[in-house]
Amino acid sequence: MSTESMTLARALNQSLRKALEDDPQVLVMGEDVGRLGGVFRVTEGLQKDFSEERVMDSPLAESGIVGTAIGLALNGYRPVVEIQFDGFVFPAYDQIVTQLAKVHARSRGMLTMPVVIRIPYGGGIGAVEHHSDSPEALFAHVAGLRVVSPSNAADAYWMLQQAIRSDDPVIFFEPKRRYWDTAEVDRAVPPVDLHRADVVRRGTDVTLVAYGPMVKVCLEAAEAAAEEGRSLEVIDLRSVSPVDFDTVQASVERTRRLVVVHEAPVFFGAGAEIAARITTRCFYHLEAPVLRVGGYHAPYPPARLEEEYLPGLDRVLDAVDRSLGY
Amino acid sequence: MTVPGTERSHAPDLSRVLSAFSSRAEEPPGPIQLLTPEGTLVHHPDDTPGYDPLRLRAFYRDMVMARSIDTEATALQRQGELGLWPPLAGQEAAQIGSAHALRADDYAFPSYREHGVAWCRGVDPVDVVRLYRGVTNGGWDPREKNFHLYTLVVGSHALHATGYAMGLAKRGSGAAAIAYFGDGATSEGDVAEAFTFAAVHDAPVVFFCQNNQWAISEPVERQLRGPLYRRAAGFGFPGVQVDGNDVLAVHAVTEAALEHARTGNGPFFIEASTYRMGAHTTSDDPTRYRRAAELDEWRAKDPIDRVRTHLAEAGHATQEFFDDVATEGAELALRIRRQVRTMPDPDRTEVFGHVYADGHPLVDEERAQFAAYQASFADQEVK
Ligand SMILES: Cc1ncc(C[n+]2csc(CCOP(=O)(O)OP(=O)(O)O)c2C)c(N)n1
Ligand SMILES: [Mg+2]
C-alpha cells in the first residue's frame, strides 16, 4: 500500500528525503535546517541521514543563502533552500530578482538555475511581525521565476518533487498554518503537472479560485453555501506563475461567476491578474464582475487583529452573495 | 587575578587597556573582566574603572528587575497571555551594564531581546509585553525614551543606528547611538554595510554585540571562524571583547566606547561574551541542539550572583537591601501580570491606522468597507 496519512510538514520532509535519495546533486540549506530540523521541523532528521555536506546549516544571511545557491547551481548542484519566514526573504530579494530569475535568459539558455526557495508564508498562527506575510505577487511579477503553493499534504509531496526537478528557479510557498493538517499521500500515482489547477469541488453557481492556505477556507465556504442551496465550484490554483487560465476559464464558462480569494493584499495581488485575464477570456459568459477577497492595503496587523484582517468564511460568502446579486 | 581587598597592583587606565586590546596582533588573554564569577575584583577597588558601591547596588537592582520582568513574561506566555517571548535570562549584565553607560541624549537601537535595556531607558515593561501579546507592532514612543522600536528583522537596525549617528555628528550634538544585535546578526549583509558606513563617516555609533553563543540552534562557529571582536579591525575601527556577564566590565567598556564615539573618534565595536540561558523564544526547545553541561558551565558564571556575592562579602549591601530588591521585583512582576490580564485588545479599525502620514484614498475606502461589513453583523445580532 503506497498511501499514507501524514501532515503537510511531514509530506514535505518525505519529499525532501526522496529528492536527496534520488539525486546526489540535491542539497538542502538554510538557517537551522540541520541539527534542529528547521523551526517547523520540515527538514527533521535529514542532516543526520544525509550528512552535513548535503544538509547545511547556513550562516544567518538570506542574500548569502540564495547567492551561494546560485553559485552551487552553476556548478551542477540542485539547491533547495529554506527561508525561515516570509518576512525574511527580502535580504535575498536582490539575488532572486536581479540574478536568479535572469541567468537563463542572459546566457541565452546555456545556463539553468535549478534552485528551489521554500518559504513558509501566510498568517493565522498568532505570530509576531514579519511572520505572517503573503508576498507571492512580488515574485510572480518577475519573469523567470515559477511560483507555486500547495494546499494539502499530497500536493506538498508531489509539487516539491516537481519543483526540485525543474530546471527553472521555483519559489515554493508553504502555507504555514496548514503544516499540521493531515491528508492521504499516495506516493505511487504519477502527479499532475506542477502548474495545473485542480477543481477540488464541483459546483454550478459560482467559481471560487484560491491557493495555499485559502483553499480550505473556500471548501468550508462551499460546504456552508450548500446548506443554503448554493452550489460553489472550488479551484485550487496550485500555481501562481504560470496560472492555469484554461481550467479557470472552463469553470467560469459554466458558472458565469468568479470570486478569487487569497490572503495577500488585494491591491496589485494575484487576483487582479486573474480578474483581468478571465474578464477578457469570458467577457460574454460573465454575469457579474470578477470579485476579489483578500488582505487590505495595510501592513499585516499584530496578532490580536489578524482574525479581522484575514479573509475568512464569512467574507468569502459575502463576496459570493454580492456576485449572485448582479 | 587577585584576592579581594588586595594590595594595589597595576593601574588599568581603561582607554589604555582598550587601545592595547584592539591593536594586539596575537590573541588577547581573554575578555576584559573586572569582577570574576566568584565575586572577586580583578584589580584593587581604586584601580577598577567606575567602581562605586552605590552604582553597583543600582546595577544589581536593575539586573534583578530585568530578570523579574523576564520570568514573569515567560510565565505569562506559558499561560497563553502572550503569543511569544524571547527570554533575556543570562544576558542581564550585558544589557544593564551597557544601558547604564548611556546618557539620556544617546539613542539606542534594540533588536528584540533587549528588555533590560528598555527597562533602563524608562520603557514600561508592560509596553514591551504588549508587543509580544500581539496588541501592537510598536509599543512606546521611541523619541520620548531615545530608544527605538524593537527590530525583528535581524541586523536591519545596525544601519539605522549608523544613519542616526551620522545625523548626530552632522548636527554636532555630541551624543552617540548604540546598536544592539546578536552573534548571528553579524552574518547579515546589513551589519557589514553598517560597519562600512560607520567607518567611512566616522559615525558616533557603538555596535554592541551580545555574543550569547547561539543563533537559535546554530552555534557561533556556524557564523564565523575567529574571534568576533576582531572583525572591527578589518573595517578600520576598534573592537574589544568583554566578559558580558560582568556588569562592571561591560559598563566601563561601554562608557569608554561611547566617549570614544562622542568625541569624534568614530565607531566602536564591543563583543560581550554571554550566554542565552533560556530558549531562543518560548517556541523553541534548546534541548534539541545543545548540551546540558554547557548550561551548567554558564550557570556558574551567572551575572547577578557574582554581584550579590561581591556586595555581601565587601560589606556594601545588607540583607535588608537584598530583601527590598527582591520585594520590588516581585511587585513589578505582579503589576505586569495584572496589567496584561486586563489589557484590552486594540480597536479593529487599528488595522487601517497610520498606514500613511498623508492619507491614501484606498485605505480610506477599505476602512469604510470594513466598517460597513462589521456593522452588517451588528444588525444581524440586533434582529
Ligand atoms: C533577516 C532575518 N532572518 C531570519 C530571522 C529569524 N531569526 C530570528 S532570531 C534569529 C537568530 C538570531 O541570532 P542572534 O543574532 O545571535 O541573536 P539572539 O537571538 O541570539 O539574541 C533568526 C534566525 C529574522 N528574524 N530575520
Ligand atoms: Mg545569539
Side-chain angles (χ1 to χ4, degrees):
Chain A
M1 223 357 231
S2 57
T3 298
E4 203 186 314
S5 175
M6 60 180 87
T7 63
L8 196 154
R10 174 106 183 125
L12 293 167
N13 178 271
Q14 294 297 304
S15 190
L16 287 168
R17 180 172 287 279
K18 177 90 167 63
L20 285 160
E21 278 165 3
D22 288 354
D23 184 351
Q25 303 308 112
V26 169
L27 303 173
V28 170
M29 45 201 255
E31 294 154 13
D32 306 288
V33 300
R35 204 177 334 184
L36 182 64
V39 294
F40 290 107
R41 309 290 183 262
V42 168
T43 55
E44 180 151 34
L46 299 181
Q47 185 178 72
K48 195 169 126 276
D49 294 345
F50 294 94
S51 88
E52 289 183 28
E53 284 295 307
R54 297 191 64 199
V55 181
M56 296 177 273
D57 270 329
S58 39
L60 210 182
E62 291 74 14
S63 182
I65 292 170
V66 174
T68 56
I70 292 171
L72 284 158
L74 288 172
N75 201 0
Y77 290 91
R78 304 183 86 83
V80 184
V81 312
E82 176 177 299
I83 298 293
Q84 201 160 78
F85 282 92
D86 33 63
F88 307 138
V89 68
F90 297 104
Y93 198 59
D94 167 54
Q95 287 288 343
I96 295 171
V97 174
T98 70
Q99 306 300 321
L100 185 65
K102 297 179 173 65
V103 168
H104 187 66
R106 285 172 56 221
S107 67
R108 310 308 300 154
M110 286 184 289
L111 304 173
T112 55
M113 276 292 117
V115 174
V116 177
I117 301 179
R118 298 181 33 245
I119 310 177
Y121 82 120
I125 64 162
V128 289
E129 203 187 8
H130 312 299
H131 293 69
S132 303
D133 293 325
S134 297
E136 63 271 18
L138 297 175
F139 296 89
H141 199 63
V142 179
L145 302 177
R146 298 178 180 278
V147 182
V148 301
S149 178
S151 70
N152 60 72
D155 278 355
Y157 180 83
W158 281 114
M159 289 169 71
L160 187 54
Q161 290 288 301
Q162 293 166 311
I164 294 169
R165 285 199 205 107
S166 170
D167 279 334
D168 289 318
V170 180
I171 315 295
F172 194 91
F173 281 105
E174 302 172 358
K176 70 170 84 81
R177 66 167 142 152
R178 305 290 178 227
Y179 270 144
W180 304 277
D181 288 5
T182 303
E184 292 293 316
V185 178
D186 188 339
R187 287 189 249 186
V189 292
V192 297
D193 184 274
L194 176 61
H195 300 293
R196 250 234 342 254
D198 195 8
V199 180
V200 289
R201 183 185 172 112
R202 289 276 168 193
T204 53
D205 298 341
V206 178
T207 300
L208 299 180
V209 164
Y211 50 86
M214 294 311 292
V215 172
K216 187 176 179 192
V217 174
C218 287
L219 285 170
E220 286 164 2
E223 199 60 43
E227 282 166 25
E228 295 182 0
R230 282 173 183 167
S231 166
L232 307 188
E233 178 144 310
V234 181
I235 296 179
D236 180 351
L237 203 61
R238 299 167 80 249
S239 173
V240 180
S241 180
V243 170
D244 176 4
F245 288 111
D246 290 348
T247 297
V248 180
Q249 178 178 355
S251 171
V252 173
E253 283 177 359
R254 282 186 291 105
T255 64
R256 297 169 170 267
R257 289 180 163 86
L258 174 61
V259 175
V260 188
V261 184
H262 50 60
E263 279 188 34
V266 165
F267 192 56
F268 278 88
E273 186 59 36
I274 295 167
R277 301 261 173 185
I278 292 302
T279 302
T280 307
R281 287 186 180 212
C282 305
F283 191 67
Y284 293 107
H285 288 91
L286 283 168
E287 297 280 356
V290 178
L291 298 181
R292 293 171 291 159
V293 179
Y296 300 108
H297 189 61
Y300 196 93
R304 294 258 155 186
L305 288 172
E306 77 176 339
E307 216 175 295
E308 319 290 336
Y309 179 90
L310 280 175
L313 189 105
D314 287 335
R315 271 170 62 199
V316 174
L317 290 175
D318 178 65
V320 166
D321 281 349
R322 281 186 284 125
S323 178
L324 287 164
Y326 278 91
Chain B
M1 209 179 95
T2 36
V3 243
T6 159
E7 74 290 350
R8 298 181 62 148
S9 45
H10 35 284
D13 170 351
L14 191 69
S15 56
R16 279 221 324 274
V17 173
L18 293 186
S19 57
F21 191 94
S22 60
S23 62
R24 290 175 78 106
E26 75 279 19
E27 290 300 301
I32 296 173
Q33 190 183 65
L34 298 175
L35 184 65
T36 70
E38 294 73 36
T40 316
L41 286 179
V42 175
H43 309 290
H44 187 279
D46 295 343
D47 295 333
T48 301
Y51 184 78
D52 168 8
L54 191 70
R55 177 189 265 167
L56 199 52
R57 286 199 296 273
F59 291 166
Y60 176 82
R61 172 185 172 269
D62 282 341
M63 289 197 290
V64 170
M65 293 308 131
R67 188 165 288 185
S68 183
I69 294 164
D70 195 58
T71 308
E72 183 56 33
T74 304
L76 284 167
Q77 197 284 333
R78 296 283 178 235
Q79 293 156 19
E81 296 286 348
L82 308 186
L84 186 82
W85 181 256
L88 68 78
Q91 301 178 213
E92 293 86 353
Q95 296 194 11
I96 302 303
S98 61
H100 268 266
L102 293 170
R103 289 194 323 222
D105 61 342
D106 294 330
Y107 208 105
F109 288 78
S111 54
Y112 42 79
R113 203 189 292 286
E114 273 67 67
H115 322 312
V117 183
W119 167 255
C120 292
R121 296 306 276 176
V123 175
D124 187 338
V126 174
D127 289 337
V128 179
V129 166
R130 190 188 307 279
L131 168 72
Y132 288 108
R133 187 175 161 88
V135 175
T136 174
N137 285 333
W140 53 88
D141 178 351
R143 285 166 309 178
E144 186 194 326
K145 313 291 183 195
N146 276 6
F147 183 71
H148 192 57
L149 300 176
Y150 276 6
T151 298
L152 272 55
V153 181
V154 166
S156 220
H157 57 291
L159 280 163
H160 312 156
T162 302
Y164 196 90
M166 287 159 62
L168 288 173
K170 279 188 201 307
R171 284 195 283 108
S173 79
I178 186 167
Y180 286 90
F181 50 82
D183 42 295
T186 62
S187 293
E188 288 283 4
D190 277 5
V191 172
E193 292 180 26
F195 291 173
T196 298
F197 274 73
V200 304
H201 288 281
D202 286 324
V205 57
V206 173
F207 297 110
F208 192 93
C209 177
Q210 291 169 81
N211 178 356
N212 63 8
Q213 316 301 325
W214 292 91
I216 310 187
S217 73
E218 298 193 12
V220 66
E221 300 76 53
R222 292 304 310 166
Q223 309 297 340
L224 77 165
R225 301 291 157 98
L228 192 41
Y229 76 90
R230 296 262 294 262
R231 188 164 285 190
F235 286 88
F237 55 90
V240 301
Q241 189 187 33
V242 61
D243 177 351
N245 283 12
D246 172 357
V247 70
L248 272 179
V250 170
H251 178 261
V253 167
T254 312
E255 202 161 57
L258 286 164
E259 205 42 36
H260 166 98
R262 291 185 199 114
T263 48
N265 299 297
F268 201 103
F269 180 82
I270 299 170
E271 174 192 356
S273 304
T274 180
Y275 195 75
R276 192 194 80 209
M277 294 300 290
H280 169 66
T281 67
T282 43
S283 299
D284 175 44
D285 173 12
T287 62
R288 293 178 67 104
Y289 53 80
R290 65 183 189 187
R291 297 173 299 116
E294 190 179 281
L295 210 66
D296 294 338
E297 245 170 68
W298 281 92
R299 195 169 284 121
K301 302 185 213 171
D302 186 85
I304 301 183
D305 287 351
R306 70 177 77 178
V307 176
R308 188 189 167 103
T309 305
H310 176 78
L311 284 173
E313 284 180 0
H316 291 317
T318 58
Q319 188 55 42
E320 196 189 349
F321 166 78
F322 294 122
D323 292 346
D324 285 352
V325 172
T327 306
E328 199 187 340
E331 282 167 1
L332 176 60
L334 188 66
R335 177 171 75 81
I336 294 169
R337 197 177 323 153
R338 281 212 195 95
Q339 284 184 250
V340 167
R341 291 239 167 97
T342 56
M343 190 179 283
D345 277 352
D347 187 78
R348 289 163 170 178
T349 53
E350 257 301 300
V351 170
F352 304 96
H354 316 289
V355 181
Y356 293 88
D358 294 331
H360 190 292
L362 179 59
V363 177
D364 296 341
E365 186 186 322
E366 288 188 345
R367 184 196 285 109
Q369 281 169 359
F370 178 82
Y373 178 68
Q374 294 288 336
S376 72
F377 290 104
D379 291 350
Q380 280 171 14
E381 278 155 26
V382 172
K383 269 181 223 156

